[in-house]
Every structure is written in C-alpha cells, then in structure tokens.
C-alpha cells in the first residue's frame, strides 16, 4: 500500500511537471497566450510572468521549463516502463505472503555459480523475467587451456540447476557466450 | 474530547512494537548480515522518535497486521543456498519459512489479541 501511494504521488507530480513544461514552452514560443491557458484567471499570473519575461528571466524560464519537462518524462518513464519492477523477482506468493529476491542477488548467485565452473575467469550476467521463466545471459571469459564449448555447457547446466532448483523459479533459457579475452572493456565482475 | 493518559503519550504503536520484536529476532538469524533497507523506498516502520528499518508492519484490519521483512543474506548463506544444498531443496524458500516462523514467534510476545496475518519476505541483497 505504501509503495502504491508513493508511486501514485510520483506519477501525479511527473504529469504535472510535464504539463507545466509543455505549457511554459508553448507560451515562451508564442504559440499560445497566457489568457488561453487561464480559464477563469486560474494561474494567469504565473503564465503571464513567463510570457512577459525577457532577457535573463526568459532564459531562466526556458531552462526551468525544459528541466521540468525532462524530469517529468524521466520519472514517468521510471514508473511506467515494464522493467520498473524487474528489480525483484517473486519466487513464491501464497496466503502467507510473498517471498521475493532482489535482482542483484540473483545476478550475484549466477556469477557465483558460474565462477565455480573450472576454467571460468570472469563473468558478466544478466537475468530477466520472461513469460515462461527466467532468461539468463552469461558472458564468460575462459582460460585458454580449456575446451570452451564444454565449459559453456557445464556453465549452462549449473546455472540452470542452481536457479531452478534452489529458487523454485522456472528457467526458460540460459544463454552462454564464452571468450578468451578479458571482459574488462565492459562492466567487469571478477569471479570470486 | 479524547483524553490521553500520560502513559499513552508517546507510547509506541502496535506496529512499532511488532516491528521492534520482529527485527530483533530476525537479525539474530545467522543467515542474515542485517535487515535490508528496501529496494525502491525506505522499508521501515516509524514511531515517535523511532524508526525500525527493514521491517514494515501495517494494520490491515482491526487487530490484524501484515509485515514485510527485508533481509540481507550473508555470503555464507548464499553459498549454501546455491552451491552446497542438494538439488531441489529450494533453500531460499526454506529460509523464508524460517523467517516467518521467527517473526510469528516474536510477534506473539507482544501481540495480545492481535494477529500477524501475512508476512512478506524480501531478500534484498548479499553482504
């Protein structure tokens, strides 16, 4: 309930910021007059001050409008995009309540399981929730003296088993790509 | 007009008493490094001059409460969960059940006639 309340407040504030930004930009661009946006004189003073601003004041009004619009869009996006709730995975929901695991914990365990596979030096992982279960991507840097396809297969099996059996969540796919070069050019996570 | 007795002024609410007991009990479980702060918003129960982070207790009906418990797993527990446990053991779910049991026991110490109807367990992080 607390989360829902916070999200509704954030949604309303985002929409207000977007509306304010757009209207202010329309006034500053001379596309609408303050009077058109002030039925019954509502907020007429605000719109007039924006419309009649000049010099540095106009620049400030322009920057403020763009910032309000930008922030509104960013927060609206954060609230509405499908990935918003992907920060946690619900692994059980019953009459007693829910059990959830944070996404970074799942990432951590995938990295840990992958790190336990002989021949794996570094690993990068990503976990998403798909319609049929978890989808896991693992990119691993392997030692030059191992057979990469074998390591990849072992890694795939172990990640799949660890997630499915220990979390209780179905795993629809585990994609593994291996390379000899270090993963240091991207965000790197060393195997412990 | 409502009259307050001096003993009631500043007295912790039922939510705070529940949260305090649950937090105290859960944090002692060896599998957890601490209580978690929550993922998107601060997970806490607020009382007069007091904040219990990691446990959110809310009243859902008269004398009925729900709890949301956020925990941070220790490295050792994670290791046990995903490497040392036999296949199919669903260790995290077992751990969640253990948290609920501990929370129920803790809550029963301060509950009186109130009940804890639902307990959500969130594994927030690993430390």
């Amino acid at each position: 309930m607390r989360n829902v309340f916070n999200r509704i407040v954030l949604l309303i504030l985002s929409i207000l910021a977007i509306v304010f930004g757009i209207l202010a930009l329309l006034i500053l661009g001379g596309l609408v007059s303050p009077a058109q946006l002030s039925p019954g004189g509502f907020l007429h003073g605000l719109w007039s001050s924006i419309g009649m601003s000049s010099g540095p004041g106009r620049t400030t009004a322009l920057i403020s409008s763009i910032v309000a619009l930008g922030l509104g869009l960013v927060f609206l996006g954060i609230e509405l995009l499908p990935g918003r709730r992907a920060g946690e995975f619900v692994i059980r929901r019953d009459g007693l309540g829910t059990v959830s695991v944070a996404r970074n914990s799942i990432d951590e365990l995938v990295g840990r399981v992958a790190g336990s596979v002989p021949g794996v030096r570094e690993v990068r992982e990503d976990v998403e929730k798909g319609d049929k279960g978890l989808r896991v991507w693992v990119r691993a840097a392997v030692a030059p003296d191992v057979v990469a396809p074998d390591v990849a297969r072992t890694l795939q099996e172990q990640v799949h088993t660890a997630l499915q059996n220990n979390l209780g969540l179905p795993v629809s796919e585990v994609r593994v790509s291996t390379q000899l070069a270090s993963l240091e050019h991207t965000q790197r996570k060393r195997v412990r | 007009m409502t009259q307050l007795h001096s003993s009631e002024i500043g007295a912790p609410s039922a939510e705070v008493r529940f949260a305090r007991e649950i937090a105290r009990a859960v944090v002692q479980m060896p599998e957890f490094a601490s209580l978690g702060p929550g993922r998107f918003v601060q997970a806490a129960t607020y009382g007069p001059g007091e904040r219990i982070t990691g446990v959110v207790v809310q009243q859902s009906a008269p004398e009925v409460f729900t709890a949301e418990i956020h925990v941070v797993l220790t490295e050792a527990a994670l290791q046990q969960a995903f490497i040392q446990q036999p296949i199919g053991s669903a260790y995290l779910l077992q751990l969640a059940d253990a948290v609920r049991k501990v929370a129920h026991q803790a809550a029963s110490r301060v509950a009186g006639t109130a009940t804890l109807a639902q307990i959500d367990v969130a594994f927030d992080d690993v430390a």
Side-chain angles (χ1 to χ4, degrees):
Chain A
M1 188 60 78
R2 175 180 47 91
N3 284 355
V4 171
F5 177 76
N6 287 348
R7 294 187 72 190
I8 290 172
V9 169
L10 197 57
L11 273 174
I12 291 171
L13 290 176
S14 304
I15 291 166
L16 286 176
I18 291 168
V19 170
F20 170 79
I22 290 172
L23 294 181
L25 286 173
L26 288 174
I27 292 173
L28 288 167
L31 298 172
V32 293
S33 67
Q36 285 177 291
L37 297 179
S38 312
F42 181 66
L43 294 179
H44 188 264
L46 172 69
W47 301 131
S48 296
S49 65
I50 291 173
M52 290 188 295
S53 60
S54 60
R58 197 169 184 80
T59 308
T60 306
L62 184 64
I63 292 171
S64 304
S65 309
I66 292 171
V67 168
L69 180 59
L71 285 178
L73 288 172
V74 166
F75 282 113
L76 194 65
I78 288 172
E79 282 301 312
L80 296 183
L81 283 178
R84 169 68 175 82
R85 302 304 297 168
E88 63 181 25
F89 296 99
V90 175
I91 58 175
R92 188 170 68 193
R93 191 191 302 275
D94 55 24
L96 300 172
T98 61
V99 179
S100 59
V101 183
R103 181 187 176 140
N104 61 334
S105 299
I106 295 183
D107 285 348
E108 181 109 7
L109 81 90
V110 171
R112 201 164 288 267
V113 169
S116 69
V117 175
V120 174
R121 288 180 158 178
E122 295 173 49
V123 65
R124 263 188 78 206
E125 66 289 314
D126 193 20
V127 182
E128 269 184 18
K129 195 168 191 177
D131 293 336
K132 294 177 182 172
L134 292 180
R135 292 190 298 177
V136 185
W137 286 266
V138 180
R139 194 172 173 192
V142 297
D145 57 340
V146 298
V147 182
D150 290 349
V151 171
R153 196 175 307 114
T154 307
L155 214 157
Q156 200 173 28
E157 286 168 2
Q158 293 202 4
V159 168
H160 187 279
T161 303
L163 285 178
Q164 190 149 304
N165 291 298
N166 290 292
L167 278 184
L169 280 177
V171 179
S172 60
E173 88 181 288
V174 180
R175 287 191 185 183
V176 178
S177 66
T178 57
Q179 62 186 62
L180 291 177
S182 168
L183 303 174
E184 66 184 4
H185 294 301
T186 49
Q187 188 186 353
R188 193 173 71 167
K189 185 164 190 172
R190 289 205 68 84
V191 172
R192 278 170 273 185
Chain B
M1 191 186 347
T2 305
Q3 286 189 328
L4 278 175
H5 295 285
S6 58
S7 61
E8 291 175 336
I9 300 172
S13 63
E15 286 93 335
V16 169
R17 282 184 280 121
F18 268 128
R20 207 188 281 157
E21 269 319 298
I22 292 170
R24 202 174 289 160
V26 171
V27 85
Q28 284 172 5
M29 294 176 71
E31 293 87 355
F32 305 125
S34 63
L35 291 166
R39 296 279 306 152
F40 301 109
V41 291
Q42 176 87 12
T45 301
Y46 297 88
E50 186 175 6
R51 183 181 67 192
I52 299 107
T53 303
V55 180
V56 184
V57 176
Q58 290 176 316
Q59 190 165 12
S60 56
E63 298 291 300
V64 180
F65 294 83
T66 62
E68 187 183 310
I69 303 169
H70 293 256
V71 290
V72 176
L73 273 175
T74 60
E75 290 251 355
L78 187 77
Q79 194 88 358
Q80 192 172 5
F82 296 102
I83 294 171
Q84 294 168 7
Q85 283 291 303
I87 288 173
S89 63
Y91 180 67
L92 282 193
L93 294 178
Q94 291 174 14
L95 210 46
D97 288 339
V99 170
R100 283 177 172 162
K101 192 174 173 185
V102 165
H104 272 298
Q105 286 170 350
S108 67
R109 291 196 283 270
V110 291
T113 56
T115 55
L116 205 52
Q118 187 174 312
I119 300 174
D120 293 340
V121 180
F123 294 96
D124 275 1
D125 209 343
V126 182

